Each structure stands twice: as C-alpha cells, then as structure tokens.
Amino acid sequence: MRVIALILLCLGLATCASHIPQIHVVQSATPELAGRQSFQLMPPEQAKSAPAPYPQRYAELGPLLRQGLLERGYRDSQTPQLLAYYWLTLDDHPLEYRVDISPPEELGPYQAVHRLRDEAGTLRLRLANPDGQVLWEGTVSTGLSPGRYRVDYLQRAVRALLQQLPEAQP
C-alpha cells in the first residue's frame, strides 16, 4: 500500500514540475502570409488599450520573440511586411477550499475555509500586414502565475508558440 502511495506521490510531483504550454492557434496562417519575411515587433501598448499586467515581463518577451521569429526565417526590418503584436493577458479567479479539520481541543468539528487566487498568464502573438489584416494569431499559456515566474517556462512557451507559426518562405 505504501509503495502505491509513493508512486502516486512521485507522479503528482512530476506532473507539477513539468508545465506543458497550452497552445491555441486563433487564426490559421492565411495565404497572404506566404512570401512575407520582414517583420517589426510592435510595442505592446499598440496591441492593447488597457494597462498590461506584469509589465516587467515585456523586457524579456521582446528579445525572445525576435529571436524565435529570426529562427523561423523571418527578418527584422524597419520597412516590414508583417507587424508582430504581442501582449499578456491575466486570468484571475478566486478559489475556495473547504477542509474539515478537527480542532486541537475538544470543541467539536469545524470547517476551515481557505481563500486563494488562481492566476494564469497567457501570451498572445498576432501577425498582421501593414493595413491591419490579421495573417496569423496564436496564444500560449503555461498555466502558471506570472507572479511565480521562471525564465525557462517563458522561453519554453515562446518556443512552443512559434513552432505553430509557418516558416518564412522566399
């Protein structure tokens, strides 16, 4: 019995330790994307009118996205064929756990309520032509709170998202 409990505990810890990015392609690549190679990263303020959550992450996101787009065959340009908009969104939900706990003294059972917040960040990347027509769009979420940030999770999420983007074609 103890062996089974130990195995289940190890599996649970392994699941918690490896956060697989959840990718969603919102807009598949349109035919107009083919043949476009030059891009320009647009400041997040131009993509979203509301203040962005965790603005300190954008300093790391820009270079990661630029490097990933270069690896996919796109080239950075001041006269771009593609405008790359990116921004973070935050899903914040209250969680409430009720746990029956016996008190340390003989007062009878009571119910403890733990109020927590579930917070998950999502990165959105949109490629558009200079006229604003969306040519490709995708999102990625690790299911982790941006407040409990780890650079390797961000790198893995950006890489996974850009793998869904077609490579640049001459």
Side-chain angles (χ1 to χ4, degrees):
M1 187 67 178
R2 289 183 182 170
V3 173
I4 293 173
L6 182 62
I7 291 172
L8 289 175
L9 177 65
C10 290
L11 286 174
L13 290 174
T15 302
C16 293
S18 60
H19 297 280
I20 300 170
Q22 301 298 312
I23 310 294
H24 177 65
V25 176
V26 177
Q27 166 79 41
S28 297
T30 63
E32 291 84 16
L33 182 62
R36 297 179 188 252
Q37 297 176 328
S38 63
F39 73 93
Q40 182 178 14
L41 281 179
M42 302 305 290
E45 300 83 33
Q46 291 188 11
K48 192 174 178 185
S49 59
Y54 297 99
Q56 65 273 23
R57 302 293 174 249
Y58 288 103
E60 297 153 351
L61 271 174
L64 285 174
L65 288 167
R66 180 175 282 109
Q67 181 61 35
L69 288 166
L70 292 171
E71 290 172 1
R72 302 290 293 166
Y74 296 91
R75 59 179 165 50
D76 201 356
S77 172
Q78 294 302 315
T79 55
Q81 299 169 319
L82 296 169
L83 301 177
Y85 296 95
Y86 64 101
W87 67 97
L88 289 170
T89 59
L90 184 66
D91 296 325
D92 188 9
H93 306 285
L95 294 176
E96 198 173 276
Y97 291 104
R98 297 181 184 274
V99 182
D100 290 329
I101 300 175
S102 299
E105 300 173 8
E106 293 297 323
L107 298 175
Y110 70 96
Q111 189 172 52
V113 177
H114 303 281
R115 289 183 174 83
L116 307 169
R117 303 224 41 99
D118 181 26
E119 189 178 70
T122 300
L123 169 65
R124 184 175 291 264
L125 175 64
R126 176 182 295 155
L127 297 181
N129 66 14
D131 296 329
Q133 178 188 5
V134 177
L135 304 178
W136 184 88
E137 186 172 349
T139 64
V140 61
S141 176
T142 62
L144 293 176
S145 167
R148 299 193 181 267
Y149 166 75
R150 284 188 39 189
V151 71
D152 57 324
Y153 290 148
L154 185 61
Q155 291 170 343
R156 192 177 319 148
V158 169
R159 242 189 335 264
L161 178 61
L162 290 175
Q163 288 296 318
Q164 303 303 312
L165 176 66
E167 290 188 7
Q169 299 173 358

